Amino acid sequence: MERKEYNELLKFSIEVILQIFIKINKKLDELNNNGENSAVEILENEVIPKYEKLLKGLKAEIIEDNQEITIDSEKVQNINKYISDIMKENNLTEEFINSQIKIRENLKNNSGAEVVKKLFEYEIKQMKNTKYNLLNKINLVLEREERLNTKLKNAIQEEEQIEYIYKLQPVREKYRVLEEKILKVQKNIDDINKRLNSQWSYEIYGTISKDKMLNTYNQTMKK
């Protein structure tokens, strides 16, 4: 098999996996809307990683123009069989996959994938700004707590000690609240970074035009 033919097989196989991710993404939305948390966990922890690994492996196999690599015929057979089985299990036809590849190529750099990727990047930037502001606030709280602790240690009278203990309580509560907010923001940053790194989370929108994706997003934001 020639390099071009092998790359075409890989491109076809990648599209099959992206179509599986489209199905998975829709299923996740459905399960989340119904509050079926255990089913969501199974998809996220057992199903998605398997296809992510496969997608990454297929992309890594693509041969660049300047590469000289001998193509293993057994590997080609294994890819063909594995992808064929996945297509049968998910009722995907060769004609449909080829049609999606054509749409994806025609919309390259002008599809919903670019919109979603930029949205992810924007959300991360905003959340990092939020985290920075929260960290500044928590530093001020820590400074306030340190001053009160110093005054408490230096207090001689019991009445004075009680006063500083009383003043410390809301300061520590404020620290706890800010800490929880920072952890939540960091989790959101980590989650979106993971989606960005997975690539499929935005690549699944590569067969939708940018205008249609933006219109859908704007309609969703109005609700």
Side-chain angles (χ1 to χ4, degrees), residues 132-148:
Y132 176 79
N133 291 331
L134 288 169
L135 285 170
N136 283 337
K137 288 180 180 180
I138 212 168
N139 284 333
L140 292 173
V141 171
L142 287 170
E143 289 173 8
R144 167 80 172 151
E145 183 183 21
E146 186 178 356
R147 287 195 299 269
L148 288 171

Side-chain angles (χ1 to χ4, degrees), residues 133-166:
N133 291 331
L134 288 169
L135 285 170
N136 283 337
K137 288 180 180 180
I138 212 168
N139 284 333
L140 292 173
V141 171
L142 287 170
E143 289 173 8
R144 167 80 172 151
E145 183 183 21
E146 186 178 356
R147 287 195 299 269
L148 288 171
N149 274 323
T150 300
K151 289 180 179 180
L152 176 61
K153 288 176 184 177
N154 295 332
I156 299 172
Q157 300 295 326
E158 184 180 352
E159 184 178 336
E160 193 179 8
Q161 291 173 346
I162 292 171
E163 179 187 349
Y164 289 126
I165 290 171
Y166 178 77

Side-chain angles (χ1 to χ4, degrees), residues 175-191:
Y175 174 86
R176 185 189 65 77
V177 170
L178 287 169
E179 185 180 40
E180 286 180 357
K181 286 182 179 179
I182 289 171
L183 290 173
K184 185 176 181 181
V185 170
Q186 186 58 54
K187 184 181 182 304
N188 289 336
I189 291 172
D190 292 343
D191 287 346

Side-chain angles (χ1 to χ4, degrees), residues 48-209:
I48 289 176
K50 178 181 75 173
Y51 285 109
E52 283 182 338
K53 184 178 179 180
L54 178 56
L55 183 63
K56 185 178 179 180
L58 289 168
K59 287 182 176 182
E61 281 292 316
I62 292 176
I63 304 171
E64 301 297 333
D65 292 341
N66 59 347
Q67 288 180 295
E68 291 292 335
I69 296 175
T70 303
I71 298 168
D72 186 344
S73 60
E74 186 177 347
K75 183 186 287 185
V76 171
Q77 289 177 358
N78 289 337
I79 292 172
N80 269 319
K81 183 180 186 311
Y82 197 55
I83 294 302
S84 178
D85 289 344
I86 290 174
M87 289 174 66
K88 287 176 183 176
E89 288 171 10
N90 292 274
N91 296 317
L92 296 172
T93 65
E94 186 175 338
E95 291 75 19
F96 173 74
I97 297 300
N98 283 327
S99 71
Q100 296 308 292
I101 291 172
K102 187 175 181 180
I103 293 170
R104 191 177 297 277
E105 288 175 345
N106 289 338
L107 291 174
K108 191 174 182 180
N109 300 322
N110 197 35
S111 73
E114 283 72 37
V115 175
V116 176
K117 185 180 180 181
K118 286 179 181 178
L119 178 61
F120 285 163
E121 291 169 342
Y122 175 78
E123 286 179 344
I124 288 175
K125 184 179 178 181
Q126 291 298 102
M127 283 187 285
K128 282 183 176 179
N129 287 336
T130 299
K131 182 184 174 183
Y132 176 79
N133 291 331
L134 288 169
L135 285 170
N136 283 337
K137 288 180 180 180
I138 212 168
N139 284 333
L140 292 173
V141 171
L142 287 170
E143 289 173 8
R144 167 80 172 151
E145 183 183 21
E146 186 178 356
R147 287 195 299 269
L148 288 171
N149 274 323
T150 300
K151 289 180 179 180
L152 176 61
K153 288 176 184 177
N154 295 332
I156 299 172
Q157 300 295 326
E158 184 180 352
E159 184 178 336
E160 193 179 8
Q161 291 173 346
I162 292 171
E163 179 187 349
Y164 289 126
I165 290 171
Y166 178 77
K167 287 181 178 180
L168 274 166
Q169 287 176 353
V171 175
R172 286 169 176 165
E173 176 60 22
K174 190 170 184 179
Y175 174 86
R176 185 189 65 77
V177 170
L178 287 169
E179 185 180 40
E180 286 180 357
K181 286 182 179 179
I182 289 171
L183 290 173
K184 185 176 181 181
V185 170
Q186 186 58 54
K187 184 181 182 304
N188 289 336
I189 291 172
D190 292 343
D191 287 346
I192 296 178
N193 265 326
K194 185 179 178 183
R195 296 174 77 181
L196 263 176
N197 292 334
S198 73
Q199 297 182 346
W200 70 262
S201 293
Y202 58 86
E203 286 181 345
I204 58 175
Y205 301 102
T207 54
I208 302 171
S209 71

